[in-house]
Amino acid sequence: MARNSILVLGFLLFCCCTSIAEAEYMKYKDPKHPVGVRTKDLMKRMTLEEKIGQMSQIERTVATADVVKKHFIGSITSGGGSWPAPNASAATWVNMVNDFQKGSLSTRLGIPMIYGIDAVHGNNNVYNATIFPHNVGLGVTRDPVLIRKIGAATALEVRATGIPYVFAPCIAVCRDPRWGRCYESYSEDNKIVQQMTDIISGLQGEVPANSRKGVPFVAAGNWNGVKMHANKNLITGFLKNFVHFRGFVISDWLAIDKITTPEHANYSYSVQAGVNAGIDMFMIPFNYTEFADVLTHHVKNNVISRSRIDDAVKRILRVKFTMGIFENPMADLSLVDLLGSQEHRELAREAVRKSLVLLKNGESADKTLLPLPKKAPKILVAGSHADNLGYQCGGWTSTWQGITGNDLTIGTAVLKAIKNTVDATTRVVFNENPDPEFVKSNEFSYPNVVVGEHPYAESFGDSMNLTISMPGPNTINNVCGAIKCVVVVVSGRPVVIQPYLAKMNALVAAWLPGSEGQGVADVLFGDYGFTGKLARTWFKTVDQLPMNVGDRHYDPLFPFGFGLVTMPSTQGRSWA
């Protein structure tokens, strides 16, 4: 009996020694080792199932700590409008992210997940976040320094919610405003778009001095009929092999399903095509088990090589190691007060001022109307977009498609901004869609008409007519037909305005200014001058589209680069 006890004790001691020895060789847990060494060490310990888990990004609504643990999920995302609770605080977001992270850390190897979110004009899914102008307006500024500051402010507000990873910016060069994603593009001119990519430095920070080029920072639709998510020449051939991009490539939302027509018609082929094209992480928000099953089958049947899987996982892990998330996987509450901070709102307000384009200002240079006088007996503010923060912010705000009303976030609508700016003795009357008799009979000193497009995102914004949303045209005709008027257009792109232009005495393109509408009033009333220049061509009729600067038959209403300039005048000018 005693001998058996000694044998058992000896076995236990042997197990303990083995565990200690094994722990000593887990180089991936030691930040003193180079990223390459840590990555290699971790990968040799991983099963195929664990590797495929790292390649999977799932949606918050189907994620739990147990799901993350069971399927070794490498990343989680919030779709547009997917929040932990209505009007959730930054602390609530942090706690949610940490709950998911606990599931990751409890796996065999303890590989932390990374949470990703769309932050296309600020941390736009989150209540109380600063909502910056959409890219279509920021391109007008031609100010890379400002854009970099916006990136940095956005990064802080995203980190304030415990999230280290954003899907932004969109650097498409929109050449046709009929495309619903045009407001995500800075310009029709690739040179301006290239300038505006300084936002990436703001979002990520500067590349560390001793970092190898492209680790994991950036190193420098269908395309010709080939689905981008299956385009091996561009993803692997150009981006990875030629540019030497060393980060990882992630798919768009359910995008591999769309490799086939109809969508998801041949999911087995879609997975094969996407992985072999060079996509590393897949945004498969809901069908993650199907993805894992299909990919596992392809690897075991040599349809997809293990070396391709290893390349994808190596890239993902390299980013995670470089982020420092292995050492600091849990988010904290230290930045929560930065969400919607006054400093960031002032930055957004500056961006609004610089993104406005003055397209018309009176009959001539000698008879200008702007800036407006702050002191007047009675003024009219009209239009569907004057008192609607949702319209002012556009799509990708609170929800994917955006919403109407003033409850989606905290900010200042244009009506409130005007009231804040005019003299205390000036009476401001708001009537969303007044009839001509109302306008004529009230002896207004001047009216401001604020109209535009309703919110939309992506293909929901595709339009062949590009008209101002009703009752906007009626409001313009009723007000501007009765009295000299200033029209402010809130839109994600140039829209049809030629039929109404003669009635307008002044016209301002405000794009989608975001939460800080005070920036509009700052310029209308002369605290700052108009400086913005069109970063897109403004067409006369949609029949001309697509039409871009440099085209042979270029005949715009307002050409690329156009924009009238005014000087600051804190008193405004008299209205005659």
Side-chain angles (χ1 to χ4, degrees):
M1 181 68 72
R3 186 170 181 271
N4 287 342
S5 297
I6 292 171
L7 286 174
V8 172
L9 178 61
F11 177 73
L12 291 173
L13 287 171
F14 174 76
C15 289
C16 291
C17 290
T18 301
S19 297
I20 292 171
E22 185 179 76
E24 290 175 351
Y25 288 98
M26 288 187 177
K27 294 180 181 178
Y28 77 92
K29 292 187 176 181
D30 186 354
K32 294 179 182 177
H33 288 292
V35 167
V37 172
R38 299 178 73 185
T39 303
K40 184 177 181 180
D41 180 70
L42 177 53
M43 287 188 63
K44 74 181 183 182
R45 303 174 187 276
M46 297 174 69
T47 65
L48 177 61
E49 185 181 12
E50 288 167 331
K51 290 176 179 178
I52 289 175
Q54 285 300 302
M55 296 172 68
S56 305
Q57 183 183 74
I58 68 174
E59 217 283 326
R60 180 200 66 81
T61 53
V62 297
T64 64
D66 288 340
V67 165
V68 172
K69 180 180 180 180
K70 179 180 179 181
H71 298 280
F72 310 105
I73 298 299
S75 185
I76 301 175
T77 184
S78 279
S82 178
W83 355 269
N87 298 350
S89 68
T92 300
W93 280 88
V94 168
N95 292 333
M96 176 195 70
V97 173
N98 283 342
D99 284 343
F100 293 137
Q101 191 66 282
K102 290 172 185 175
S104 298
L105 299 180
S106 65
T107 58
R108 182 177 70 93
L109 296 171
I111 304 173
M113 67 88 194
I114 48 175
Y115 201 104
I117 198 166
D118 292 291
V120 301
H121 62 146
N123 195 2
N124 48 258
N125 254 0
V126 179
Y127 184 77
N128 192 37
T130 306
I131 306 299
F132 293 92
H134 268 297
N135 292 353
V136 66
L138 295 182
V140 164
T141 72
R142 291 166 172 77
D143 188 343
V145 175
L146 173 67
I147 303 309
R148 190 180 302 126
K149 289 179 180 178
I150 289 172
T154 299
L156 284 171
E157 295 208 10
V158 173
R159 291 306 293 264
T161 56
I163 298 173
Y165 175 27
V166 300
F167 310 123
C170 175
I171 53 171
V173 181
C174 176
R175 304 280 286 177
D176 190 334
R178 293 173 294 186
W179 185 37
R181 298 195 71 164
C182 216
Y183 66 74
E184 297 183 57
S185 171
Y186 294 104
S187 176
E188 69 187 45
D189 178 19
N190 68 291
K191 294 184 180 65
I192 291 179
V193 174
Q194 186 176 21
Q195 274 188 315
M196 296 298 102
T197 57
D198 272 26
I199 195 172
I200 296 172
S201 298
L203 286 166
Q204 294 187 164
E206 297 299 326
V207 179
N210 298 323
S211 175
R212 287 181 61 191
K213 185 178 181 181
V215 184
F217 299 86
V218 177
N222 292 357
W223 189 70
N224 289 344
V226 179
K227 294 282 188 179
M228 282 303 300
H229 284 77
N231 197 323
K232 186 174 182 178
N233 287 337
L234 281 182
I235 297 173
T236 298
F238 181 76
L239 182 64
K240 292 184 174 180
N241 296 340
F242 182 76
V243 179
H244 302 297
F245 176 67
R246 292 171 64 82
F248 66 81
V249 177
I250 183 170
S251 75
D252 203 350
W253 179 278
L254 287 173
I256 59 165
D257 297 54
K258 300 173 184 176
I259 289 175
T260 60
T261 303
E263 295 178 17
H264 205 81
N266 188 340
Y267 194 62
S268 176
Y269 170 75
S270 295
V271 172
Q272 174 190 341
V275 174
N276 283 337
I279 297 172
D280 305 308
M281 183 180 284
F282 289 79
M283 196 181 294
I284 39 167
F286 310 114
N287 63 332
Y288 56 93
T289 55
E290 181 185 14
F291 171 79
D293 290 343
V294 170
L295 183 50
T296 300
H297 178 270
H298 283 334
V299 174
K300 289 185 175 180
N301 288 276
N302 299 317
V303 176
I304 294 174
S305 69
R306 288 184 181 264
S307 63
R308 173 74 270 271
I309 301 298
D310 286 346
D311 172 64
V313 177
K314 178 176 66 176
R315 290 170 176 274
I316 293 165
L317 295 178
R318 186 160 55 201
V319 169
K320 290 185 176 183
F321 280 123
T322 305
M323 290 170 65
I325 199 169
F326 276 81
E327 288 68 59
N328 298 290
M330 305 302 287
D332 60 46
L333 302 175
S334 61
L335 300 177
V336 294
D337 290 340
L338 293 179
L339 185 71
S341 71
Q342 189 58 38
E343 180 182 358
H344 294 166
R345 293 188 183 280
E346 288 300 326
L347 179 64
R349 183 174 171 180
E350 176 188 354
V352 173
R353 292 193 295 261
K354 292 182 176 179
S355 66
L356 302 177
V357 181
L358 181 57
L359 298 174
K360 183 176 181 180
N361 191 16
E363 298 174 11
S364 65
D366 297 328
K367 296 183 178 180
T368 58
L369 302 180
L370 297 174
L372 298 171
K374 294 180 180 179
K375 191 169 185 177
K378 183 168 60 174
I379 65 173
L380 171 67
V381 179
S384 54
H385 289 55
D387 189 27
N388 197 308
L389 206 54
Y391 288 177
Q392 189 173 296
C393 291
W396 289 114
T397 314
S398 185
T399 68
W400 177 34
Q401 293 297 319
I403 57 178
T404 185
N406 291 322
D407 298 327
L408 75 167
T409 192
I410 292 175
T412 306
V414 173
L415 174 63
K416 177 63 174 175
I418 290 173
K419 291 179 177 179
N420 291 342
T421 304
V422 296
D423 189 84
T425 62
T426 299
R427 182 184 171 197
V428 179
V429 176
F430 174 61
N431 188 321
E432 186 170 316
N433 188 28
D435 59 50
E437 185 57 34
F438 175 87
V439 178
K440 293 176 181 177
S441 63
N442 271 276
E443 298 183 346
F444 294 111
S445 300
Y446 54 84
N448 288 281
V449 178
V450 190
V451 294
E453 295 185 294
H454 291 166
Y456 56 83
E458 299 187 357
S459 60
F460 287 85
D462 293 349
S463 171
M464 296 303 292
N465 52 41
L466 297 180
T467 54
I468 293 173
S469 299
M470 294 299 291
N474 291 338
T475 308
I476 293 172
N477 287 328
N478 290 349
V479 177
C480 298
I483 188 175
K484 287 185 178 181
C485 70
V486 177
V487 175
V488 178
V489 176
V490 175
S491 66
R493 53 199 166 185
V495 290
V496 174
I497 58 172
Q498 189 182 38
Y500 326 108
L501 188 59
K503 292 183 178 180
M504 303 175 185
N505 300 96
L507 173 62
V508 177
W511 313 110
L512 297 170
S515 60
E516 306 313 303
Q518 192 64 50
V520 176
D522 286 344
V523 185
L524 285 179
F525 291 89
D527 290 333
Y528 294 82
F530 283 93
T531 59
K533 303 290 184 180
L534 287 178
R536 323 199 40 82
T537 297
W538 203 298
F539 57 87
K540 291 178 179 176
T541 70
V542 291
D543 295 335
Q544 296 175 295
L545 298 176
M547 176 177 62
N548 296 275
V549 63
D551 288 353
R552 184 177 177 185
H553 301 291
Y554 191 67
D555 184 29
L557 183 62
F558 298 109
F560 175 91
F562 180 82
L564 301 174
V565 175
T566 62
M567 298 300 293
S569 174
T570 55
Q571 299 303 313
R573 62 175 68 236
S574 61
W575 186 271

